[in-house]
Amino acid sequence: MMINSTLEHSPTDHILILSVPSVFSLPAVVKSHGWAQMAPFEVLPEDGLAYVIRLGGGKVIRFTVQQAAEGLQVEASDRLSAAEQAEVGEKVTWMLGLEQDFSEFYALAMDEPKLRRMVERRAGRVLRSPALFEDVIRTLLTTNTLWRHTLKMCRELVRLYGDAGRDTMRAFPTPARLAQVGEAALREQVRMGYRAPYVASLAQAVEAGAIDLEAYKTSSLPTPELRQELMRIKGVGGYAAANLLMILGRYDYVPVDSWALKVVSAEFFGGEPVTPKQVLTTFERWGCWQGLAYWFWEWKFD
DNA sequence: GGTAGACCTGGACGC
DNA sequence: GCGTCCAGGTCTACC
């Protein structure tokens, strides 16, 4: 797919400057959720970001992103051709959600004390992987396990099956590679457990062209229908679908997990146990922004 | 539409 | 060292 890149100029053949929206914060994107802790992402000092990417031509590079006075400075580990610079610019634009506008939500959120701080922090964008395939896999790895296990599975996936670049850098594995690796190896080497068949079958479907995840980025489907499409992927239930919809810039659903039950209980129900339905009802009033309102709510439980 | 049980891993805990 | 329990979403079968 094509994202309108905000590439402003390239001072050298490995440094790009991207223009950013007037309301934007790189630290807010980096801290938006746990993706920045997952390989091959890396959090840099002062909330910069590094990522190892496999470009369309197969070249594997590492790039860093830092917020600078003139915009975002993207520095690659290798010299890039003009086409590669454009590709990196396009990917970073998508990953940081530079095309998104939150002014409508901010206007509503400023009237809610529990959301005012996120507006002041210029938050709202959630960090994305360059390809939706990668975000679906990451999301599958977050389900039904502890965070440290999620991080371990992702790290092993990249270490064992990611394409190698210079030094020790490795990119996230391609669908083709994971399709070839297969379920048994994912189960035994990555310790994915019952998630292994889900990851293997998704990789095979993407590789065979049976599912076009990238098309979802620009899909004109209404959100409920897009949600149904996502939930046709084995292993993607209500929570995972809502999470992926947020990544796709659709905020009509709240990703209800055990944490949501806990914080909503503490915040709105005096600590009494709540059902997923009660969580959804609590944020219903935020309409097409309810996912964001939930995600950036200033929980007293935090 | 709602519910129960199985699916896995890895850490904590008791013996 | 071994066994048991628990946390964490989704799937499937069943009502």
Side-chain angles (χ1 to χ4, degrees):
Chain A
M1 69 164 291
M2 276 299 289
I3 297 287
N4 288 330
S5 175
T6 51
L7 179 59
E8 199 150 89
H9 65 281
S10 306
T12 75
D13 55 14
H14 67 284
I15 294 181
L16 288 66
I17 301 296
L18 300 181
S19 59
V20 296
S22 55
V23 181
F24 175 80
S25 161
L26 178 61
V29 184
V30 171
K31 291 173 181 164
S32 59
H33 59 155
W35 264 212
Q37 299 170 37
M38 296 172 83
F41 281 107
E42 190 187 332
V43 180
L44 301 179
E46 296 174 22
D47 295 319
L49 191 67
Y51 182 79
V52 178
I53 190 169
R54 180 187 186 278
L55 298 175
K59 186 176 186 174
V60 174
I61 63 155
R62 178 179 183 270
F63 64 78
T64 61
V65 186
Q66 303 277 2
Q67 198 152 3
E70 67 271 37
L72 282 178
Q73 177 169 309
V74 181
E75 183 167 357
S77 56
D78 295 55
R79 298 172 67 173
L80 301 176
S81 68
E84 288 167 342
Q85 288 175 25
E87 184 181 353
V88 170
E90 191 182 308
K91 299 291 188 195
V92 174
T93 296
W94 169 259
M95 291 165 76
L96 302 182
L98 299 183
E99 85 288 2
Q100 294 188 91
D101 174 18
F102 295 98
S103 51
E104 186 187 327
F105 176 63
Y106 282 178
L108 300 169
M110 279 306 281
D111 291 332
E112 170 51 63
K114 291 284 190 170
L115 289 172
R116 207 169 287 154
R117 212 160 69 91
M118 69 80 73
V119 176
E120 290 163 0
R121 290 195 302 113
R122 290 166 286 168
R125 294 172 176 82
V126 292
L127 182 61
R128 301 153 157 170
S129 305
L132 193 63
F133 170 72
E134 189 175 325
D135 280 329
V136 177
I137 302 296
R138 287 187 198 285
T139 302
L140 287 174
L141 298 186
T142 66
T143 59
N144 201 25
T145 191
L146 302 177
W147 181 241
R148 58 176 171 268
H149 186 213
T150 297
L151 293 179
K152 188 184 169 200
M153 288 187 280
C154 193
R155 191 171 57 240
E156 289 303 287
L157 209 51
V158 170
R159 185 179 72 81
L160 294 168
Y161 311 124
D163 280 2
R166 281 201 291 116
D167 305 323
T168 56
M169 67 172 79
R170 285 191 177 271
F172 196 87
T174 61
R177 179 72 175 116
L178 290 185
Q180 179 219 338
V181 164
E183 177 188 335
L186 292 173
R187 195 184 282 272
E188 288 155 25
Q189 298 178 342
V190 186
R191 312 297 293 165
M192 273 188 189
Y194 68 89
R195 300 167 197 83
Y198 299 158
V199 170
S201 69
L202 177 65
Q204 284 154 9
V206 171
E207 175 59 11
I211 180 170
D212 184 3
L213 292 175
E214 288 306 288
Y216 292 162
K217 290 180 177 175
T218 51
S219 170
S220 56
L221 280 178
T223 307
E225 289 176 35
L226 187 54
R227 177 173 178 267
Q228 285 306 314
E229 285 290 309
L230 289 167
M231 289 179 70
R232 286 172 58 189
I233 300 170
K234 285 277 185 194
V236 175
Y239 160 79
N243 194 57
L244 289 166
L245 285 171
M246 294 238 299
I247 282 169
L248 288 167
R250 311 231 194 173
Y251 308 105
D252 317 52
Y253 291 89
V254 172
V256 182
D257 58 3
S258 54
W259 173 255
L261 297 176
K262 201 179 291 184
V263 291
V264 169
S265 160
E267 186 93 16
F268 297 99
F269 294 88
E272 289 297 310
V274 297
T275 64
K277 203 167 182 180
Q278 284 174 296
V279 174
L280 298 177
T281 306
T282 302
F283 282 90
E284 230 169 28
R285 70 187 176 97
W286 292 93
C288 66
W289 298 108
Q290 54 192 292
L292 270 193
Y294 161 76
W295 198 255
F296 290 100
W297 197 264
E298 208 174 318
W299 301 104
K300 63 181 176 189
F301 195 84
D302 257 329

